[in-house]
Amino acid sequence: MTAAPGAADRLRHLQAQLPATVRLLAVSKGQPAEAVRALVEAGQRSFGESRLQEASLKQEALVDLGPLDWHFIGHLQANKVRPVLQRFGTVHSIDSLPLAERAARIAAEEGLEPQVLLQVKLRDDPTKGGFSRAGLLEAWPQLQRLAPLRITGLMTMAPLGLGPEQREQLFGECAGLARDLGLTELSMGMSGDWPEAARAGSTWVRIGSALFGSRTSAGSFT
């Protein structure tokens, strides 16, 4: 299995377009370890995964590269919290107070201080979870007490079907909510809408297909 042709060139092209305040999270889910290795060799260190088993195989295959900045960006199931916290320094998808409380308890047991972004849903979207604005504001006093979690920001996704102006408005609302809470990190924008997210103040854009090309077939991860 070889790296996706032109991935390093696409990485340089994306880096040249991103504002200095926006960091690139390479979404490597569905890509082989060799594709990740090629981007590490080109200078990329931060990678996003959403499936624990797949990510674990890649992390083990790439251990010779030294510590990489692994972010968990998928739906986090309660029974997977411990292994996710053990393998990922940042989690983008804490979407409820009970899940945050569980993560805080397990992090304390493991002696970990993970960076956490809270997933918010600011538009009706049956395919996505997350805190509503009102729900997050209500839970915020309790969330602030959940050491050793380091809650640093918010993550959101735009529903399918929105136009560029609507997406930028959505991202702007998320940025405003983060400012209201004193949070500095914003995980907003993917391959199809990262320019709107960057203009709205995103600090992390999650780029997969625009960087790696098409995903490989399931099972070809190492």
Side-chain angles (χ1 to χ4, degrees):
M1 180 62 62
T2 58
D9 290 336
R10 288 193 288 270
L11 173 63
R12 287 188 288 270
H13 180 68
L14 277 166
Q15 289 173 328
Q17 295 180 79
L18 288 175
T21 54
V22 182
R23 285 159 289 170
L24 174 62
L25 182 64
V27 177
S28 48
K29 65 179 181 180
Q31 300 295 337
E34 287 79 3
V36 176
R37 184 180 295 276
L39 286 189
V40 172
E41 292 172 352
Q44 178 68 22
R45 304 294 295 183
S46 298
F47 295 89
E49 293 280 340
S50 62
R51 302 181 186 95
L52 178 63
Q53 183 179 10
E54 175 190 336
S56 299
L57 291 171
K58 276 184 273 194
Q59 289 170 342
E60 292 165 7
L62 299 168
V63 68
D64 61 295
L65 296 176
L68 297 176
D69 181 28
W70 293 101
H71 295 232
F72 189 80
I73 60 173
H75 174 64
L76 181 56
Q77 297 173 298
N79 65 342
K80 298 292 179 61
V81 169
R82 191 179 301 274
V84 164
L85 294 184
Q86 290 171 336
R87 288 189 170 272
F88 294 86
T90 304
V91 177
H92 290 230
S93 49
I94 297 291
D95 59 5
S96 70
L97 178 58
L99 185 62
E101 291 172 334
R102 181 179 180 86
R105 176 179 59 80
I106 290 173
E109 292 171 358
E110 295 287 335
L112 300 170
E113 296 183 353
Q115 180 171 252
V116 164
L117 287 84
L118 303 173
Q119 183 172 340
V120 295
K121 183 169 73 169
L122 302 177
R123 297 288 187 277
D124 288 336
D125 187 346
T127 68
K128 303 291 190 301
F131 290 91
S132 66
R133 178 185 176 87
L136 179 56
L137 293 175
E138 180 181 358
W140 185 239
Q142 293 163 277
L143 288 164
Q144 288 181 288
R145 294 193 291 268
L146 292 181
L149 297 188
R150 294 180 295 123
I151 299 176
T152 60
L154 304 179
M155 185 276 275
T156 198
M157 291 174 279
L160 295 176
L162 297 186
E165 292 183 2
Q166 294 171 308
R167 292 195 297 263
E168 190 165 344
Q169 180 181 7
L170 168 63
F171 295 142
E173 290 176 20
C174 188
L177 179 57
R179 286 193 298 270
D180 291 344
L181 299 176
L183 300 173
T184 58
E185 298 289 349
L186 284 162
S187 174
M188 308 188 301
M190 299 184 288
S191 291
D193 57 14
W194 72 259
E196 297 96 81
R199 287 193 294 269
S202 185
T203 61
W204 283 103
V205 291
R206 308 180 303 273
I207 307 298
S209 59
L211 183 58
F212 288 99
S214 300
R215 291 177 189 156
T216 64
S217 59
S220 301
F221 304 129
T222 59

